[in-house]
Amino acid sequence: MTVPASSDPLPAPDRRIPPDQAEKKEVLFHGFPASPGICRGRALVFGSAHTDFNEIEPIPIEPSQVESEIAHFQAAIEKTKSEIKALQAKMQKTVEKRDAKIFDAHLLIVEDKLLHKEVISRIRDKLCNAQSSFLLTIERYIKAISGAGDSYLTERAADLRDIANRFLRNLGGDADGGLSLSNLPENTVVIAHDLTPSDTAMLDRKNILGFAIETGSRTCHTSILARSLRIPAVVGMRNIAGKIANGDEVIVDGFLGMVVRNPSRDTLAFYKEKISRKDELYNSLLKDSSRAAETTDGYRIKLCANIEGADDLEQVFRCGAEGIGLFRTEYLFMNTQTPPDEETQYGIYVKVLRAMRGRAVTIRTVDLGGDKLDPASASAIREPNPFLGLRAIRLCHEKPQIIRTQLRALLRAGAEGDLRIMFPMVSSLCEIEELLAIRDEIIEDLKRENIPFDPKVKFGAMIEIPSAALIADALAAKVDFFSIGSNDLVQYTLAVDRLNERVAYLYRPSHPAVMELVRLTVQAAKKHRIPVCVCGEIAADPRFTPILLGMGVLELSMGASAIAEIRGVIRKISMLDSERLAKIALTAEDPEDVMTLAKEHIQSVAPDIASILG
Ligand code: PEP
Ligand code: MG
């Protein structure tokens, strides 16, 4: 968690309190947690001066000014390019490599020859100045891609706005109204309508304590960077920028997704206490990282980590994970010009397997599509419902080479450790049969070519679509293990888009329909004597731990930072009580009843962890 570097967990912001501060009442604003941690500081409001791309007017010039405006444009492009490159180099030292690659996309846009041509011909033919020519061109691009109703492209539109604002500054305009994100006053909490990835990257690390923005989802680039930089952050806050003024005292609670303006004495005392308790608890839980996750009546639970690349391994070792339960390989395919070839993939998989020294590593075949599109296919495939479209193993039908190359690399890498290969988005038996037939063909090829591989690699299916849970019995006969992807299972069971904050109130993992599908999956796995893991977000939520165990789930996989807490819960609960709890939960009719049950139980067995959850 992020706490200010002082012995007092919530030091008072040391800038002068504005004269009207005393009259302001405490106000709570709710959004979505984007990056965990709590901070208290003075608000600095950005964003009101950001360019409104719907209101760009052409600014006329004289024919004699054409050449100087073109030169002006080209100089600003060069300056923008070198700034992005410098930013990228800086980020490569402080964040994950794949996160720094966000700027590759920015560079591609700035270097786009078609864009240059359009801007220059606007200056020359329409006699518009460089600034309005550039903005009118960008506006056209933004309109074209934001109208596609595709979350990936919407985020690309955010990249375009980001570049336009940067470019504007380099042309002499000032999109930030004179404020500089890279040189902030002490103890600053940034409040903004939007912070683009490059805004986030240039934030003054010494003085920024946290931020809250009106836009964004947990999966947008800005949230990803905030987590990488370990800055508490809240996103998706409605109209916060207009209700908080520069200098207001604010608390950002990145755990609960909340901002408090002008916190009362009671609130301050509450947060002070919460921060010290959380630190104390987290440090003591980490001390247990070499101990087994064993219930009080002796049941061993396997706790594994979810990773997105080899860069995540350090944290995996620190938290004492027993293996990798989910390696989301699609991140290897995103933000690159060409998909990684067999050798590149083989190298990465071998690196992870060797580093894990014989511990199980479950690698998921690529889950592109939905909100995770690779840039190369983004323009080619525009689907009306990406989450119901050509996602994950379905790509096999249009791009069979992607899965073939990956399976070949994986089977070869299998010789270097305990590898399990997992297929995402399985909805029917025939899909598994088809994939296993491809596997058999690749095995024959490898044998013929005398290339070493592991013929005994285990193959599993993700259960994340209701139909897969309902035919789990048939699927279990074909595969070696199951892994329940609760994030998608909830989305597809309840028909609630997992990215859409407007229907987030209906996204309920505790829904009895979801519980029943988990039960069916576990029952089928038990019948066929295959292991079943849960690797979606509920595996990282301590409130669900007893219910999952009670249903017979003995393997959980989650982001590495959650492992200490979940181990702590497991060491305090019994399997007997968990089974009783699961039985009651499975008879509930309402998500709220299941949640109340789960909360009351965790409160009684692990009050310290429950109190942090709020
Ligand atoms: C899931 O759906 O629960 C899951 C683990 O996969 P992802 O979040 O990558 O879709
Ligand atoms: Mg999924």
Side-chain angles (χ1 to χ4, degrees):
M1 76 182 301
T2 308
V3 281
S6 135
S7 55
D8 182 346
L10 265 187
D14 58 6
R15 280 186 291 133
R16 267 193 325 120
I17 296 175
D20 63 342
Q21 190 72 46
E23 288 144 35
K24 283 196 178 169
K25 282 213 186 86
E26 172 177 290
V27 184
L28 304 187
F29 301 91
H30 297 269
F32 298 99
S35 180
I38 295 166
C39 64
R40 172 193 179 197
R42 292 266 172 235
L44 200 53
V45 183
F46 278 82
S48 50
H50 267 224
T51 310
D52 183 342
F53 287 89
N54 292 316
E55 289 173 12
I56 298 156
E57 296 286 333
I59 300 173
I61 51 169
E62 294 298 322
S64 60
Q65 293 175 288
V66 165
E67 293 314 318
S68 69
E69 282 300 299
I70 291 175
H72 202 30
F73 164 70
Q74 284 165 333
I77 282 285
E78 286 312 312
K79 188 155 185 240
T80 307
K81 258 181 0 196
S82 53
E83 272 182 12
I84 296 173
K85 281 184 187 157
L87 213 48
Q88 189 173 39
K90 181 179 151 201
M91 293 306 284
Q92 262 156 1
K93 290 190 197 124
T94 48
V95 301
E96 305 271 349
K97 273 200 199 85
R98 63 164 195 280
D99 296 341
K101 278 192 176 169
I102 290 164
F103 298 103
D104 283 348
H106 286 203
L107 272 178
L108 278 178
I109 297 168
V110 178
E111 286 168 348
D112 184 21
K113 293 272 174 290
L114 278 177
L115 181 115
H116 293 191
K117 210 169 144 202
E118 187 171 333
V119 175
I120 291 172
S121 66
R122 218 183 262 274
I123 297 174
R124 213 185 280 289
D125 306 336
K126 305 235 163 90
L127 294 177
C128 291
N129 78 348
Q131 178 177 316
S132 59
S133 295
F134 177 77
L135 290 176
L136 284 163
T137 308
I138 285 278
E139 179 199 27
R140 204 174 63 72
Y141 279 48
I142 290 173
K143 280 198 178 134
I145 62 176
S146 15
D150 175 310
S151 56
Y152 175 84
L153 291 177
T154 305
E155 274 168 21
R156 296 285 71 76
D159 287 340
L160 281 172
R161 282 193 196 92
D162 185 12
I163 290 162
N165 279 303
R166 176 176 294 285
F167 180 84
L168 208 60
R169 280 194 288 267
N170 289 334
L171 264 179
D174 191 338
D176 285 337
L179 295 171
S180 159
L181 286 166
S182 57
N183 185 19
L184 297 165
E186 270 187 330
N187 293 332
T188 293
V189 170
V190 169
I191 306 290
H193 170 67
D194 191 12
L195 276 185
T196 62
S198 74
D199 286 338
T200 313
M202 69 196 265
L203 285 170
D204 175 354
R205 299 287 306 281
K206 198 157 53 69
N207 293 320
I208 176 95
L209 296 179
F211 69 76
I213 57 174
E214 293 178 328
T215 57
S217 67
R218 258 192 72 79
T219 54
C220 71
H221 286 147
T222 300
S223 298
I224 293 169
L225 286 176
R227 287 197 289 274
S228 255
L229 296 165
R230 293 172 201 270
I231 303 171
V234 179
V235 297
M237 315 217 51
R238 296 232 169 127
N239 292 330
I240 192 173
K243 293 181 183 141
I244 292 183
N246 278 340
D248 279 355
E249 185 178 350
V250 284
I251 287 178
V252 172
D253 182 339
F255 294 106
L256 294 179
M258 242 172 59
V259 171
V260 187
R261 188 197 79 190
N262 218 33
S264 64
R265 261 176 219 274
D266 286 351
T267 304
L268 287 175
F270 167 82
Y271 273 111
K272 243 184 199 180
E273 214 252 327
K274 183 170 173 173
I275 290 175
S276 347
R277 255 186 311 122
K278 185 140 183 100
D279 276 356
E280 207 179 296
L281 176 67
Y282 193 70
N283 291 335
S284 78
L285 289 171
L286 265 186
K287 282 195 199 124
D288 278 346
S289 57
S290 59
R291 303 177 87 164
E294 190 173 302
T295 61
T296 53
D297 46 359
Y299 286 81
R300 281 284 304 261
I301 308 302
K302 188 170 175 187
L303 295 186
C304 295
N306 294 351
I307 62 167
E308 275 91 47
D311 295 345
D312 298 339
L313 287 174
E314 204 186 303
Q315 242 215 310
V316 171
F317 298 129
R318 204 175 316 130
C319 69
E322 289 177 67
I324 305 292
L326 167 64
F327 179 173
R328 290 180 161 104
T329 58
E330 53 278 7
Y331 284 93
L332 311 177
F333 292 70
M334 287 160 73
N335 291 318
T336 58
Q337 283 308 294
T338 46
D341 61 14
E342 182 182 324
E343 283 315 305
T344 310
Q345 290 190 55
Y346 171 76
I348 295 165
Y349 305 148
V350 164
K351 184 173 173 191
V352 173
L353 282 159
R354 286 195 186 142
M356 292 306 289
R357 295 167 185 254
R359 280 174 279 181
V361 175
T362 305
I363 303 189
R364 177 171 78 180
T365 60
V366 72
D367 184 13
L368 287 169
D371 60 324
K372 294 179 282 194
L373 274 176
D374 69 309
S377 69
S379 53
I381 308 167
R382 293 225 174 118
E383 298 181 282
N385 293 303
F387 274 116
L388 302 181
L390 207 61
R391 180 181 169 190
I393 53 169
R394 299 171 182 194
L395 278 171
C396 234
H397 279 266
E398 292 197 6
K399 299 188 174 181
Q401 210 43 51
I402 291 187
I403 194 85
R404 281 183 178 273
T405 306
Q406 186 170 31
L407 281 180
R408 230 179 109 95
L410 283 168
L411 280 162
R412 286 175 53 205
E416 302 287 334
D418 182 2
L419 173 66
R420 289 121 205 247
I421 298 173
M422 174 157 92
F423 296 121
M425 286 287 289
V426 174
S427 65
S428 309
L429 193 62
C430 63
E431 291 170 312
I432 281 289
E433 288 169 343
E434 203 178 320
L435 287 160
L436 295 179
I438 295 176
R439 169 202 62 183
D440 294 343
E441 282 168 30
I442 294 169
I443 287 182
E444 286 313 310
D445 290 348
L446 291 170
K447 276 188 193 156
R448 219 180 12 256
E449 293 166 43
N450 256 333
I451 296 178
F453 70 99
D454 181 4
K456 291 200 224 72
V457 170
K458 293 189 168 65
F459 281 81
M462 280 198 78
I463 306 295
E464 52 184 348
I465 297 181
S467 63
L470 293 168
I471 59 159
D473 200 26
L475 288 171
K478 299 277 175 194
V479 295
D480 304 308
F481 65 92
F482 280 159
S483 191
I484 300 176
S486 55
N487 305 341
D488 279 313
L489 190 61
V490 174
Q491 141 163 286
Y492 292 123
T493 305
L494 307 180
V496 176
D497 181 345
R498 66 190 254 200
L499 301 180
N500 186 344
E501 75 273 12
R502 295 159 89 183
V503 286
Y505 70 102
L506 287 172
Y507 188 94
R508 308 294 301 267
S510 61
H511 195 292
V514 177
M515 294 289 114
E516 177 59 12
L517 293 172
V518 173
R519 186 191 71 80
L520 279 174
T521 307
V522 175
Q523 180 183 283
K526 272 191 180 158
K527 185 174 152 199
H528 292 264
R529 295 175 188 279
I530 61 168
V532 57
C533 174
V534 172
C535 65
E537 285 305 304
I538 57 169
D541 185 336
R543 293 167 303 187
F544 283 95
T545 312
I547 295 180
L548 292 174
L549 264 55
M551 285 200 211
V553 175
L554 302 178
E555 253 182 76
L556 297 169
S557 191
M558 65 206 76
S561 57
I563 289 184
E565 210 168 65
I566 299 296
R567 182 188 291 108
V569 171
I570 292 171
R571 292 177 59 80
K572 288 184 168 178
I573 58 177
S574 75
M575 188 56 93
L576 196 69
D577 282 348
S578 301
E579 281 173 356
R580 278 197 208 116
L581 194 76
K583 246 187 206 142
I584 306 173
L586 282 163
T587 58
E589 291 174 352
D590 189 79
E592 207 42 56
D593 294 344
V594 177
M595 227 38 236
T596 307
L597 193 70
K599 278 186 195 162
E600 281 173 3
H601 189 64
I602 201 79
Q603 178 65 45
S604 71
V605 291
D608 47 355
I609 292 176
S611 68
I612 299 300
L613 291 171

